[in-house]
Amino acid sequence: VEASIPEPQRAAWKKFQAHGFKSKDEFEKEVVRHVETTLARSMFNCDETAAYAAASLAFRDRLITQWNRTQQRQTFSDTKRVYYLSLEFLMGRALDNAMLNVGLKNARTSSSLPLILKLTASAEGLSELGFRIEDIIEQEHDAALGNGGLGRLAACFLDSMASLNIPAWGYGLRYRYGIFKQEIVDGYQVEVPDYWLDFNPWEFPRHDIVVDIQFYGHVRKYQDEAGKQVALWEGGEIVKAVAYDVPIPGFDTQATNNLRLWSSKAASGEFDFQKFNSGDYESSVADQQRAETISAVLYPNDNLDRGKELRLKQQYFWVAASLYDIVRRFKKSKRAWSEFSDQVAIQLNDTHPTLAIVELQRILLDQEGLEWDEAWTIVSKTFGYTNHTVLPEALEKWSVPLFQNLLPRHLQIIYEINLYFLQLVERKFPKERDLLGRVSIIEESQPKMVRMAYLAIVGSHKVNGVAELHSDLIKTTIFKDFVKIFGPDKFTNVTNGITPRRWLHQANPRLSELIASKVGGLGFLKDLTLLNELEKYADDKEFKKEWAEIKYANKVKLAKHIKTTTGVTVNPSALFDIQVKRIHEYKRQQMNIFGVIHRYLTIKSMTAEERKKLAPRVSIFGGKAAPGYWMAKTIIHLINNVGSVVNKDKDVGDLLKVIFLEDYNVSKAEVIIPASDISEHISTAGTEASGTSNMKFVLNGGLIIGTCDGANIEITREIGENNIFLFGNLAEDVEDLRHAHNYGSHAMDPDLGKVFEEIKKGTFGDAGAFSALVGAIEDHGDYYLVSDDFHSYIQTQALVDEAYKDQDEWTSKTITSVARMGFFSSDRCINEYAESIWNVEPLVPEDEGTSGLGK
Ligand code: NTF
């Protein structure tokens, strides 16, 4: 408050405050100004990179004003805030999104409701200056601080929280290197570091917001003057956390939230001058580098926990800095500690931030002097925990000795939390001796391990899964005992969602425009259930024609991308069959490529006459394998080798093409997803917690072939089972099937057997390269049930072929499906979190409500 401008001077400020662009002239003026002054270039030296930079800076200026105002308003109104703690935020590009949000205010002031907003001031302005907006957008480097679905979900949530005016901050790490870039060399994945910070106009370093983070050392316990037991964490080393802020604009609102990312820095500044002067240059630089290593790189594993010390350091560094920040903000309000959870809701995105529970307990106990019970009541009312996987290899566990060394005080607190928890269990279930061992936060193994999911459950007031089946599964399998202990109400479901702004309007502008023309404008981008108005056009000839034309145009665009990146020509009239996601055995890309081989063999065995009746297909794959995941890399290798045989086989021609798209990421997804006819979501039932690309594909007018898993089940419920191709065994049967593989006789599916024979013959290169992939199914129990589901998969693919021949009916199916996808907006999802977990209300900006969009 002391820093505010006195009343008499405020008019001058207001006069010069920036607003949205009122005309394209205003925008052009700003772009030219940034080129000439900020970038110190001229019209004789302005390439697309410079135009991108200047356009971003122009929009950024407008964003910052809204952002500051939102933050001020949130502070003054003193309402509850949500803090979304995620080790991953897979943001993709920002400019397009900023244009959509800032540009909207233009649109509002104009009398007619514009259909493509960015074609107003910004696009026209740029073209007058000699640039195509599409090319400018392409210049931006993706912000790829995530692995896959979990990180992209966090990004969609930020968009929805801002758009719904929910006061919310994201907290994460500012990795210097995001997820690696994937190159394909001779069919093999090669990883290239993703240094993305060369020019990033979307972040603001806050060199004044620096937090000291302690590691290692020891705990000293003593009695203070009042005779109270006190614990002091002493010694060890200090690393500094520096805040970098990223504005998160909401759609059709001025509200602009904040994403705060922490970067690590040596405590001693540049380097230790003492050591430097005494000739110990190397070790002084080493100290600095060791500190900077903490936020240097994103761990590239999806659905896998490796238990590395540096990862635990990252987690504590990020959690401690974030909690320091949150507690500091709360203390400024001068409220009683008992009100903490009325002001603060912290959501744990998976177990990665679970240490926040322990850290808050430590702050309240050791620094603020609260009693254990008082502190614990506050802590356990503050946190919510979202589980994103049931895969055992993904459930985080940390070795006790490692913990003891790095975070000695936290380990003590964990033991104490566990003690009180086990005492409660014992009181409730005095006769069940092995229950204690089963639910203990400490696993009695060699070495002992801290079970992070159990700690997260014990320290949170709500635990949720991310789709109905998944939320049921966690209650009946991995967390069964905890349902018994805490009761069923602690466990709930919030089915994932996606933001329609990025995944419909930005990725597929023509489709968005066509939809808008039928459902009364762009209001569906705020209330996606308005899409159901479309259903009456499912049989409208004229509408279907336009719909199909847009799909074709999107396929042409992808075909061009395929041509330039792989050199392969694909026919845009063929059925585009797409599977893009992280490569994982449970996601079963191997089943897909075996299916492709089966199709190839079938084509080869046909007469020319028979071939004429076939529906041409392009099988498109994309996705990264974790660098240490050998089997996943082998799958990529096989896909590429199959492609190089099939794509040049003259017998096959256009009937089948096999494409592996290099370096799948958010911005490529925006091109790939709108071009699909059918996409594959074919995980072993019960393994894919939700999946979110399934939602994106259907929303863009594609159909799905999939298993009864994750959100596929709810998609089926919404769009109707006639509009989805389901196949395969059910989750409830998986356990028995696996048992039968290991203890009964396990006969290969005969069609799959033929595929394996062909691989073993060397048709797709050295058979030895693929023996582990085949062996996992033939000899090692086929854990992911590829053979069990293969027949059903092939048959269902044949149904897809048949259905695609009736283009008219196919188009109707896709329109009906889009019309029924309203449920899968991340806005719906965030509203559920807000109501049933966070207990927060929106804070609507003062001058809002003039939107042309309604709602
Ligand atoms: C992922 N989990 C799941 O594998 C996806 O099914 C789900 O859609 C996303 O989370 C988002 O909820 C993980 O990445 C993790 F880390 F939990 F393994």
Side-chain angles (χ1 to χ4, degrees):
V1 185
E2 315 85 65
S4 72
I5 301 297
E7 191 58 49
Q9 279 75 46
R10 287 187 195 172
W13 278 77
K14 281 184 184 150
K15 191 167 133 201
F16 295 114
Q17 260 170 6
H19 298 280
F21 298 112
K22 294 227 169 55
S23 64
K24 68 172 186 304
D25 281 11
E26 210 179 276
F27 170 67
E28 284 171 79
K29 185 176 147 204
E30 287 300 286
V31 170
V32 172
R33 182 177 70 82
H34 277 299
V35 170
E36 295 193 329
T37 62
T38 317
L39 306 174
R41 294 171 79 154
S42 74
M43 71 168 107
F44 303 105
N45 179 23
C46 181
D47 54 10
E48 285 178 343
T49 329
Y52 159 70
S56 298
L57 291 166
F59 275 103
R60 186 180 93 156
D61 290 344
R62 306 299 141 132
L63 268 189
I64 298 171
T65 331
Q66 297 182 10
W67 186 30
N68 285 337
R69 274 198 226 132
T70 309
Q71 295 312 316
Q72 263 169 37
R73 204 175 140 69
Q74 288 182 8
T75 306
F76 289 139
S77 73
D78 202 28
T79 50
K80 187 168 185 175
R81 277 197 181 97
V82 176
Y83 296 102
Y84 196 80
L85 268 56
S86 180
L87 208 38
E88 304 188 9
F89 289 94
L90 199 42
M91 304 295 282
R93 291 179 175 144
L95 175 59
D96 203 12
N97 197 245
M99 288 196 303
L100 175 62
N101 294 290
V102 176
L104 192 62
K105 282 191 305 310
N106 270 324
R108 274 199 206 147
T109 54
S110 75
S111 53
S112 69
L113 201 96
L115 294 179
I116 301 185
L117 300 165
K118 69 185 177 216
L119 288 184
T120 57
S122 45
E124 281 177 32
L126 275 171
S127 79
E128 278 192 9
L129 296 173
F131 294 97
R132 278 172 24 122
I133 187 112
E134 294 80 3
D135 301 334
I136 297 312
I137 288 170
E138 288 276 303
Q139 299 304 309
E140 184 172 352
H141 197 122
D142 275 33
L145 308 184
N147 276 287
L150 174 137
R152 183 54 231 179
L153 185 76
C156 284
F157 281 7
L158 292 181
D159 184 74
S160 283
M161 291 189 291
S163 301
L164 293 168
N165 297 305
I166 293 180
W169 283 47
Y171 275 108
L173 274 184
R174 179 181 177 270
Y175 302 109
R176 206 156 5 111
Y177 297 92
I179 187 69
F180 63 86
K181 286 190 175 305
Q182 177 193 55
E183 286 178 8
I184 301 296
V185 179
D186 298 333
Y188 294 94
Q189 167 175 300
V190 173
E191 299 96 21
V192 178
D194 170 47
Y195 182 77
W196 69 291
L197 291 168
D198 257 351
F199 174 74
N200 179 10
W202 307 107
E203 66 170 13
F204 292 81
R206 304 288 192 197
H207 294 296
D208 53 330
I209 301 179
V210 182
V211 185
D212 282 351
I213 308 296
Q214 185 178 1
F215 291 106
Y216 306 106
H218 55 267
V219 181
R220 185 158 62 86
K221 286 200 169 165
Y222 64 94
Q223 293 209 330
D224 68 5
E225 295 99 71
K228 197 179 157 192
Q229 271 286 334
V230 188
L232 255 191
W233 180 18
E234 296 176 330
E237 61 181 54
I238 301 287
V239 176
K240 286 197 182 299
V242 184
Y244 285 72
D245 288 346
V246 181
I248 308 292
F251 174 73
D252 194 35
T253 171
Q254 309 264 337
T256 302
N257 281 338
N258 193 25
L259 168 61
R260 177 159 286 177
L261 302 176
W262 298 104
S263 181
S264 60
K265 211 175 109 169
S268 52
E270 296 296 279
F271 44 66
D272 189 333
F273 272 99
Q274 212 90 50
K275 283 184 180 172
F276 182 65
N277 291 331
S278 65
D280 200 358
Y281 179 72
E282 264 175 52
S283 95
S284 82
V285 174
D287 283 354
Q288 182 210 342
Q289 286 187 341
R290 208 152 45 90
E292 289 182 1
T293 300
I294 294 177
S295 63
V297 344
L298 166 78
Y299 274 89
N301 302 312
D302 186 83
N303 268 290
L304 178 72
D305 169 49
R306 291 294 205 105
K308 289 271 198 278
E309 179 175 52
L310 181 60
R311 169 82 167 187
L312 186 59
K313 269 186 136 170
Q314 288 188 334
Q315 294 185 349
Y316 181 65
F317 171 81
W318 150 62
V319 151
S322 306
L323 266 176
Y324 180 89
D325 214 37
I326 293 167
V327 167
R328 177 176 55 84
R329 204 167 294 128
F330 172 77
K331 285 174 81 167
K332 276 206 268 183
S333 78
K334 304 259 164 35
R335 289 170 183 257
W337 282 113
S338 58
E339 291 177 83
F340 191 80
S341 65
D342 303 330
Q343 294 297 106
V344 174
I346 304 180
Q347 193 63 27
L348 306 174
N349 196 25
D350 216 85
T351 54
H352 317 146
T354 303
L355 271 172
I357 290 169
V358 191
E359 176 70 359
L360 182 58
Q361 180 72 4
R362 186 185 72 87
I363 292 171
L364 296 178
L365 222 54
D366 296 357
Q367 288 171 1
E368 302 296 335
L370 273 66
E371 296 298 329
W372 180 277
D373 287 347
E374 201 186 352
W376 187 247
T377 305
I378 295 166
V379 169
S380 50
K381 280 202 279 188
T382 300
F383 291 96
Y385 157 50
T386 306
N387 171 276
H388 294 267
T389 183
V390 295
L391 298 192
E393 66 270 31
L395 297 178
E396 280 192 299
K397 287 179 190 177
W398 290 106
S399 112
V400 166
L402 191 141
F403 230 109
Q404 168 67 46
N405 184 40
L406 189 69
L407 301 166
R409 178 61 183 142
H410 293 78
L411 185 63
Q412 287 179 348
I413 294 174
I414 291 171
Y415 268 101
E416 207 148 319
I417 294 171
N418 196 34
L419 177 71
Y420 293 130
F421 168 61
L422 292 180
Q423 283 173 352
L424 171 135
V425 177
E426 204 170 23
R427 277 198 304 278
K428 265 192 146 171
F429 306 95
K431 299 206 181 75
E432 300 193 38
R433 291 310 300 174
D434 25 333
L435 180 62
L436 293 182
R438 283 207 308 272
V439 299
S440 173
I441 294 169
I442 306 296
E443 177 183 272
E444 295 295 324
S445 45
Q446 200 47 260
K448 291 185 179 150
M449 302 292 259
V450 184
R451 296 158 159 165
M452 299 307 270
Y454 293 3
L455 179 55
I457 296 171
V458 173
S460 301
H461 71 287
K462 278 275 182 218
V463 177
N464 75 284
V466 290
E468 268 171 23
L469 173 70
H470 168 66
S471 297
D472 285 344
L473 281 175
I474 61 177
K475 283 200 275 186
T476 52
T477 61
I478 54 175
F479 303 150
K480 192 173 171 217
D481 292 324
F482 292 88
V483 176
K484 188 162 113 179
I485 294 163
F486 292 114
D489 292 350
K490 180 161 180 165
F491 296 82
T492 185
N493 171 247
V494 185
T495 299
N496 282 169
I498 56 171
T499 170
R501 272 76 67 181
R502 182 174 296 257
W503 295 113
L504 181 49
H505 187 74
Q506 286 171 219
N508 206 341
R510 280 186 65 190
L511 195 67
S512 181
E513 182 186 4
L514 177 62
I515 292 171
S517 74
K518 296 297 182 197
V519 305
L522 288 168
F524 69 96
L525 294 177
K526 296 193 73 183
D527 175 1
L528 202 61
T529 62
L530 294 177
L531 283 178
N532 58 35
E533 288 293 301
L534 273 186
E535 204 158 337
K536 44 177 193 276
Y537 299 94
D539 292 314
D540 180 316
K541 225 173 150 216
E542 194 49 38
F543 183 80
K544 285 168 74 173
K545 192 167 153 262
E546 287 183 58
W547 186 273
E549 273 170 19
I550 293 168
K551 176 60 75 180
Y552 187 79
N554 292 336
K555 290 168 73 176
V556 168
K557 188 174 170 194
L558 179 58
K560 281 190 185 139
H561 175 78
I562 291 172
K563 181 74 190 179
T564 49
T565 54
T566 68
V568 180
T569 309
V570 301
N571 177 1
S573 299
L575 189 162
F576 278 22
D577 170 342
I578 305 183
Q579 187 176 18
V580 283
K581 50 184 86 220
R582 289 297 294 255
I583 312 292
H584 209 296
E585 285 164 284
Y586 88 81
K587 294 177 189 283
R588 298 199 293 190
Q589 284 93 352
Q590 72 277 41
M591 188 165 76
N592 186 343
I593 194 64
F594 295 150
V596 169
I597 296 173
H598 177 263
R599 180 177 291 266
Y600 175 63
L601 299 177
T602 309
I603 294 171
K604 293 291 276 185
S605 71
M606 283 175 159
T607 65
E609 273 312 297
E610 288 172 318
R611 282 178 194 159
K612 278 189 192 138
K613 291 186 211 129
L614 284 179
R617 222 189 244 243
V618 184
S619 273
I620 300 166
F621 295 81
K624 294 171 186 176
Y629 191 172
W630 186 251
M631 201 66 104
K633 290 184 152 179
T634 305
I635 294 171
I636 292 175
H637 186 197
L638 179 60
I639 294 167
N640 282 305
N641 281 15
V642 171
S644 57
V645 171
V646 171
N647 296 344
K648 58 172 185 257
D649 191 325
K650 293 279 185 314
D651 292 347
V652 175
D654 267 0
L655 290 180
L656 181 60
K657 287 279 181 277
V658 183
I659 304 296
F660 190 92
L661 291 172
E662 202 172 68
D663 197 39
Y664 178 62
N665 62 14
V666 172
S667 56
K668 292 203 176 81
E670 290 169 20
V671 177
I672 295 167
I673 291 171
S676 103
D677 293 307
I678 198 138
S679 62
E680 309 224 6
H681 308 275
I682 58 176
S683 49
T684 311
T687 62
E688 190 71 279
S690 163
T692 42
S693 76
N694 42 6
M695 302 166 190
K696 296 166 194 168
F697 278 104
V698 179
L699 188 61
N700 281 280
L703 299 183
I704 282 180
I705 180 166
T707 46
C708 295
D709 201 15
N712 290 354
I713 295 172
E714 287 145 274
I715 292 175
T716 308
R717 183 191 71 204
E718 294 292 310
I719 71 177
E721 53 188 0
N722 294 329
N723 297 316
I724 188 165
F725 297 90
L726 291 177
F727 72 94
N729 283 285
L730 301 180
E732 56 200 84
D733 299 321
V734 167
E735 208 189 333
D736 288 348
L737 287 165
R738 281 182 182 155
H739 187 87
H741 293 178
N742 294 323
Y743 301 100
S745 69
H746 181 214
M748 263 315 97
D749 175 87
D751 285 322
L752 186 60
K754 284 182 203 143
V755 168
F756 287 168
E757 266 172 49
E758 205 65 29
I759 293 173
K760 288 176 194 168
K761 266 200 266 171
T763 306
F764 308 106
D766 175 25
F770 309 113
S771 60
L773 194 52
V774 172
I777 296 164
E778 279 192 328
D779 313 320
H780 296 107
D782 188 13
Y783 188 75
Y784 296 103
L785 275 48
V786 173
S787 178
D788 304 82
D789 282 348
F790 196 69
H791 184 67
S792 170
Y793 177 59
I794 296 300
Q795 276 194 322
T796 307
Q797 285 287 19
L799 295 179
V800 172
D801 287 323
E802 272 316 296
Y804 195 70
K805 286 178 187 163
D806 188 347
Q807 279 292 300
D808 204 51
E809 177 62 20
W810 184 280
T811 303
S812 292
K813 280 177 187 292
T814 63
I815 296 168
T816 307
S817 301
V818 172
R820 298 175 180 175
M821 282 299 284
F823 179 76
F824 298 99
S825 169
S826 45
D827 296 346
R828 184 271 312 152
C829 179
I830 286 300
N831 277 323
E832 287 183 18
Y833 277 97
E835 264 182 39
S836 69
I837 300 179
W838 302 332
N839 192 28
V840 285
E841 302 273 318
L843 181 67
V844 181
E846 251 159 23
D847 46 355
E848 214 91 320
T850 51
S851 160
L853 299 182
K855 263 262 149 179

